[in-house]
Amino acid sequence: MTTDTDTSRACGQPPRPDPHPPTSRRWMWFAAWPVVVALALSNEPAPLYVVWQDRLGFSAATLTLIYAFYVVGLLGTLIGAGSLADRIGRRPVLLPGLALGIVAAALFATADSVPALALARTLSGVTVGAFLSAGLAAVSDLAPAGSKRLGGLVASASMVGGAALGPMLSGILSETLPGPTVGVFVLQIALLVTAFPVVLRMPLHRPAAHVAGTGRPRIPSAPRPHRRGLLLGLGVFAPAITATGFVLSLGPSLLADLLHTSNRTVAGGTIFILFAAATGVQFAARGLTVPTLFRLGATLTVSGMTTLILAVPTGSVTLVLVAAVLAGLGQGSAQLGALGTLSSRIPSARLAEANAALTAGGYLMAGALPVGAGYLSDAVGLAAGTTAFGVTVAILVTAGAVAATTGSRATAS
């Protein structure tokens, strides 16, 4: 199929918008598959941390530090990937991301030291960063005209859907296949390979002439008229994703202590439930207004942190599971409000950068607070560390929801 963009390119003219872009619901859903596959890599290591801890003998603080390497790789990529994808196109960012994901999966499968795990985690962060910026933007780009909010929903759901798939596969395969840290990453490599033809065939347009070009990477942001909305969304989204980050980094160890078992299926299943809840709530709540989504996200996150604080001293596995579900519901609601706002209001030429800004801000907090909670837990005990973390997140997300709701009213008026 030849488009106006192809014709302009062949004639040496700057690409111009296609009046009938080849977007459809079918391609929008196809574009979501590479995002799912890449995001699966983000949480696959979580159920296996207990295996690596036993094998390599590192502490809870080191465990959260390994998670922080993932965040470093993610944030470092987001700084450049968003604006780069807007300048040169989505595909040149996504293809190297897939290749580095394969390298990361191979490193996880063969890791025999903490530095090897840290490198694998860093590279997985680079892959996820590429897809949280250019991948989510590609899904929104391919949404049919007049359905950009649907594109934002599919992009957001593919993000948390992949985050749910990874730990479930990891937990089940590590218990059923020989080599608990090998089989799942061999499968992950195969899944990443299937994403290559989808990325290569997606009918994506090259950026307009005034957007394309070179330039130094810059701190990702949104167009000036939309920066206030981006910051208000971050006020709720960042604490909400931080709550799930704590469950990812310390949740498997916490469950192992409470259940007196190292069964990885239970840990992977818990993380799956968390992100399945985050996925499901987005489809259930898609008709709600953005302020309502932010209030809902904050309420659910506070409830999740309260439940988690009660779960540790009581040793209740049920409360841990409830806390995981509530945290997932909270993240899903806040994320839908934030990403939906960006995809419906920000032009495609700046959308990848805006997505990068949102996720970078969220993961910056999600990396810092769980690491602090890990070190605090080593020093004063898991119960005290969890309580301090839960109270901090509850305060931050409540303040963010108040600011976002007030700001939305002010903007509307």
Side-chain angles (χ1 to χ4, degrees):
M1 176 175 58
T2 301
T3 66
D4 288 348
T5 301
D6 298 324
T7 304
S8 298
R9 193 182 308 134
C11 297
Q13 301 171 357
R16 51 195 174 89
D18 187 347
H20 302 289
T23 57
S24 67
R25 289 177 185 265
R26 180 174 65 106
W27 268 113
M28 177 185 66
W29 287 103
F30 279 157
W33 171 244
V35 178
V36 171
V37 170
L39 267 293
L41 182 61
S42 67
N43 292 330
E44 269 170 348
L48 302 176
Y49 283 143
V50 291
V51 178
W52 285 313
Q53 275 187 294
D54 290 340
R55 184 185 300 168
L56 304 176
F58 54 81
S59 66
T62 302
L63 191 156
T64 53
L65 193 60
I66 292 172
Y67 177 76
F69 272 96
Y70 163 73
V71 177
V72 168
L74 174 64
L75 293 177
T77 303
L78 288 173
I79 288 174
S83 57
L84 189 65
D86 286 334
R87 291 199 306 272
I88 67 174
R90 316 307 190 202
R91 206 174 345 258
V93 174
L94 297 178
L95 291 175
L98 287 174
L100 289 176
I102 290 175
V103 175
L107 285 171
F108 277 126
T110 58
D112 58 0
S113 66
V114 170
L117 286 175
L119 177 59
R121 210 66 178 106
T122 302
L123 292 179
S124 68
V126 174
T127 295
V128 173
F131 279 84
L132 286 180
S133 52
L136 297 183
V139 176
S140 295
D141 289 346
L142 293 170
S147 300
K148 291 304 180 182
R149 186 169 182 180
L150 174 62
L153 169 62
V154 174
S156 184
S158 65
M159 172 183 170
V160 291
L165 175 66
M168 174 58 80
L169 290 176
S170 182
I172 293 174
L173 295 181
S174 68
E175 291 287 348
T176 57
L177 295 180
T181 60
V182 176
V184 65
F185 293 110
V186 172
L187 176 60
Q188 177 63 36
I189 290 173
L191 293 175
L192 288 167
V193 169
T194 69
F196 273 98
V198 179
V199 173
L200 288 170
R201 291 178 60 85
M202 285 191 297
L204 297 168
H205 293 294
R206 298 182 68 177
H210 71 281
V211 177
T214 59
R216 295 180 180 178
R218 60 175 181 263
I219 301 298
S221 184
R224 189 176 297 275
H226 303 290
R227 288 177 186 171
R228 177 180 173 83
L230 171 65
L231 291 174
L232 292 175
L234 263 176
V236 186
F237 172 68
I241 199 172
T242 299
T244 59
F246 181 79
V247 176
L248 289 176
S249 58
L250 289 180
S253 297
L254 178 59
L255 278 173
D257 289 342
L258 293 180
L259 292 172
H260 306 290
T261 179
S262 59
N263 188 298
R264 273 92 61 186
T265 303
V266 175
T270 301
I271 299 171
F272 172 82
I273 290 171
L274 184 158
F275 284 104
T279 305
V281 73
Q282 295 187 55
F283 287 95
R286 64 185 182 275
L288 299 179
T289 64
V290 169
T292 302
L293 286 169
F294 285 150
R295 285 193 294 267
L296 178 62
T299 301
L300 290 167
T301 299
V302 170
S303 300
M305 292 299 93
T306 302
T307 306
L308 185 64
I309 290 170
L310 295 174
V312 176
T314 60
S316 171
V317 175
T318 300
L319 288 179
V320 172
L321 296 176
V322 171
V325 171
L326 290 171
L329 293 172
Q331 179 191 329
S333 302
Q335 181 175 301
L336 177 60
L339 281 176
T341 299
L342 297 184
S343 64
S344 63
R345 297 182 182 179
I346 295 180
S348 177
R350 293 290 301 277
L351 183 57
E353 184 183 353
N355 285 339
L358 178 72
T359 51
Y363 276 98
L364 184 63
M365 183 181 292
L369 284 187
V371 169
Y375 278 99
L376 184 62
S377 297
D378 282 346
V380 300
L382 187 59
T386 301
T387 299
F389 174 85
V391 170
T392 300
V393 169
I395 291 173
L396 289 173
V397 77
T398 300
V402 171
T405 303
T406 304
S408 297
R409 288 202 200 102
T411 302
S413 61

